[in-house]
Amino acid sequence: MASADMTNSRILIVGGSSGMGLALAKQAIAAGAEVIIVGRNEDKLRHARAELQSSALSTVALDITQEAQVADLFGRIEGLDHIVSTAADIEGAYELLPSLDLKAAQRVVESKFYGPLLLAKHGAPKLASTGSITFTSGIAAYRPSARGSVVAAVNAALEGLVRALAVELAPIRVNVVSPGWVDTPIWTFVAGDKKDETLDAMAKRLPVGRIGQPEDIAKAIGYLMGNGFTTGTTLHVEGGHRLI
Ligand SMILES: NC(=O)c1ccc[n+]([C@@H]2O[C@H](COP(=O)([O-])OP(=O)(O)OC[C@H]3O[C@@H](n4cnc5c(N)ncnc54)[C@H](OP(=O)(O)O)[C@@H]3O)[C@@H](O)[C@H]2O)c1
């Protein structure tokens, strides 16, 4: 279903050079979409191009926390069907309060809240009226851990933003996917060399008995893009994490 809906569509994926965004880019291209992926780091974009090997893919290096860069991007783009952001810069932000660096906390807010806000501001005028915007929050808003206060707060704020944007930008649909624990490169910043043992322990606790894969979240975003009757919604894709 999601695949058919993506055929011949044009999708901008911020964060498409890694993790969930990269998995979405792969699924969208396989379904016949044209995909533009955005990230800050040229090396990551180069790796994504090498992995996806598709003439339907283009990449743009920019930082979505910088309004001039976001405005310039949309100044050069016409005819989009969907905008997605899986961007997050959480480096240094998973700390207990005494060690929390305010600059790292601000980078989380900028990448997960203000960046998406700027994408909506400058990107909505470029979207088809049947189009959609999808952002990415996360389980930390519902099952916070010590060290995760800033991420928890930003995820919750983003969900409120999405409900308001769904009203303001209608008929464009605006949704947010809330992932549980998913095996992606972001875990380096959360658990460092304890990544594998941390994810294994959670897999045993979850009702589904496993950690999420980037493809699980990509499919959920595909659903949000394709279902024309879904807006202002938080879609939880977390293996039952909120039940434990
Ligand atoms: N993985 C999990 O277990 C989990 C759980 C709950 C929620 N989430 C959320 O899910 C989303 C996707 O996570 P992921 O695990 O796929 O992360 P990831 O693998 O680290 O990918 C993050 C992507 O965002 C890009 N990015 C970061 N800051 C950016 C900025 N300012 N401007 C443009 N691009 C930027 C990164 O590229 P550059 O660094 O090159 O910019 C990268 O492509 C995030 O919002 C994360 O908080 C993840």
Side-chain angles (χ1 to χ4, degrees), residues 3-237:
S3 302
D5 291 325
M6 286 194 230
T7 312
N8 297 324
S9 58
R10 203 151 175 250
I11 306 171
L12 180 84
I13 306 173
V14 180
S17 61
S18 180
M20 302 170 196
L22 180 59
L24 176 65
K26 213 175 284 181
Q27 288 181 10
I29 287 170
E34 187 189 332
V35 170
I36 305 161
I37 65 179
V38 171
R40 294 164 302 176
N41 184 298
E42 289 278 11
D43 280 344
K44 287 192 208 171
L45 292 170
R46 201 168 18 252
H47 279 119
R49 283 197 299 273
E51 189 168 336
L52 297 175
Q53 296 273 351
S54 171
S55 57
L57 174 71
S58 53
T59 62
V60 181
L62 67 82
D63 183 342
I64 53 158
T65 70
Q66 303 301 312
E67 182 160 14
Q69 294 183 26
V70 175
D72 179 64
L73 170 72
F74 287 110
R76 293 182 277 122
I77 289 183
E78 292 299 333
L80 274 179
D81 295 292
H82 306 285
I83 296 172
V84 176
S85 181
T86 61
D89 180 352
I90 65 162
E91 187 170 2
Y94 258 90
E95 293 292 346
L96 296 174
L97 291 184
S99 314
L100 185 63
D101 171 24
L102 186 61
K103 290 265 181 301
Q106 285 167 338
R107 281 197 301 275
V108 178
V109 180
E110 284 168 5
S111 59
K112 289 204 66 158
F113 185 85
Y114 288 120
L117 187 66
L118 292 173
L119 290 174
K121 175 181 172 183
H122 295 281
K126 302 295 174 152
L127 280 170
S129 59
T130 52
S132 76
I133 298 175
T134 306
F135 297 140
T136 314
S137 58
I139 187 68
Y142 300 86
R143 291 290 177 275
S145 58
R147 298 169 63 237
S149 54
V150 178
V151 174
V154 173
N155 286 342
L158 190 58
E159 293 178 7
L161 176 70
V162 155
R163 287 189 285 273
L165 292 181
V167 173
E168 179 169 339
L169 299 178
I172 291 166
R173 295 173 299 103
V174 189
N175 294 293
V176 58
V177 63
S178 176
W181 289 19
V182 178
D183 189 358
T184 72
I186 210 170
W187 275 89
T188 314
F189 301 124
V190 183
D193 56 10
K194 292 200 169 56
K195 171 181 170 175
D196 288 347
E197 64 190 81
T198 307
L199 293 183
D200 286 350
M202 178 54 78
K204 292 189 179 80
R205 292 179 57 213
L206 287 175
V208 297
R210 69 171 176 88
I211 287 297
Q213 293 302 315
E215 294 72 23
D216 294 318
I217 309 306
K219 279 185 205 157
I221 297 173
Y223 165 80
L224 291 173
M225 289 193 295
N227 190 303
F229 204 52
T230 303
T231 194
T233 288
T234 300
L235 178 57
H236 299 278
V237 187

